Amino acid sequence: MHYDKPDRLLFGGQKKRTTEIFNEIHIAAKAKPEDDFDELIHGNANEFSCNPQVGEYIKGVVQSRGENFNIPELAEVIGISRAYLYQIIPVGETPPKIVKTNPDRKILLALALELKFSVDETQHLLKYANQPELYPRRKFDAVILYALERRLKLVRTNILLASAKCEPLLFNKKQTQSEP
């Protein structure tokens, strides 16, 4: 299994590998004139992650697959209010007064599971939200990684979390366990 961070992010149109940029930074830092710094920054302008809002990243991942999602249904499945989910994933012309840029980690993981994010997409989602990335040595995180790899939905993931004696993710308790 592959758990490394991908070298190219969904947003920003990067063309270089992260290691290439790191090497350029290393070389520029050792050079005497500070002109190299300006050249480094301006020369790599398209390579830097634009760190989109969490909601923009979520929409971008789903839309890149040619899929859509329904905020009210998604909020119901996860067990959070529509208003809160609209603050995470603003839709429409008028953004909400409050936009969540650092939502709760469990809500993000529930969204990732329901929207069938890959492990790499989920790691980026957590990173954009300033939340700890999934770490396979933590039992809770190992269960989530397994569920993401298997493309399990929230209910099935919560069953696995319970069997591992881990705290469940948020979800609507009325939801049935009828999952393919």
Side-chain angles (χ1 to χ4, degrees):
M1 282 187 227
H2 164 55
Y3 294 109
D4 293 333
K5 297 174 196 163
D7 285 5
R8 290 151 177 61
L9 300 177
L10 181 64
F11 294 89
Q14 295 85 352
K15 295 178 180 98
K16 295 181 183 177
R17 295 200 164 275
T18 303
T19 53
E20 291 175 72
I21 297 170
F22 182 77
N23 288 336
E24 288 180 25
I25 292 168
H26 181 73
I27 291 166
K30 291 199 178 276
K32 295 285 182 207
E34 287 193 18
D35 295 341
D36 287 353
F37 175 77
D38 289 335
E39 186 177 318
L40 170 75
I41 297 301
H42 296 308
N44 286 301
N46 290 333
E47 299 298 327
F48 299 119
S49 167
C50 62
N51 199 11
Q53 280 183 328
V54 172
E56 291 303 315
Y57 178 74
I58 293 169
K59 287 190 285 190
V61 169
V62 173
Q63 289 170 353
S64 72
R65 295 187 208 133
E67 298 173 3
N68 291 312
F69 57 89
N70 181 301
I71 294 278
E73 287 176 13
L74 194 54
E76 177 72 20
V77 168
I78 293 172
I80 61 175
S81 73
R82 291 179 192 179
Y84 188 82
L85 190 52
Y86 278 119
Q87 291 175 1
I88 297 171
I89 310 171
V91 289
E93 306 263 330
T94 309
K97 291 179 182 175
I98 300 171
V99 175
K100 300 283 184 193
T101 55
N102 300 13
D104 181 81
R105 187 174 191 254
K106 285 188 172 187
I107 292 173
L108 294 172
L109 293 172
L111 284 168
L113 288 162
E114 282 303 310
L115 296 172
K116 297 182 180 169
F117 275 29
S118 69
V119 169
D120 289 339
E121 291 165 342
T122 304
Q123 296 290 47
H124 281 300
L125 175 63
L126 293 169
K127 183 174 154 184
Y128 286 140
N130 295 314
Q131 295 291 341
E133 293 180 34
L134 293 166
Y135 181 62
R137 290 194 178 270
R138 282 184 242 146
K139 186 168 51 169
F140 174 88
D141 289 4
V143 173
I144 300 299
L145 287 165
Y146 176 85
L148 289 166
E149 289 284 347
R150 298 286 308 258
R151 303 279 189 196
L152 300 178
K153 293 278 193 165
L154 192 51
V155 171
R156 182 71 182 123
T157 302
N158 276 332
I159 292 168
L160 293 176
L161 285 165
S163 71
K165 297 189 180 5
C166 294
E167 197 174 311
L169 291 169
L170 302 172
F171 74 104
N172 186 339
K173 296 184 183 1
K174 292 185 224 171
Q175 185 178 355
T176 64
Q177 294 181 15
S178 60
E179 179 183 323

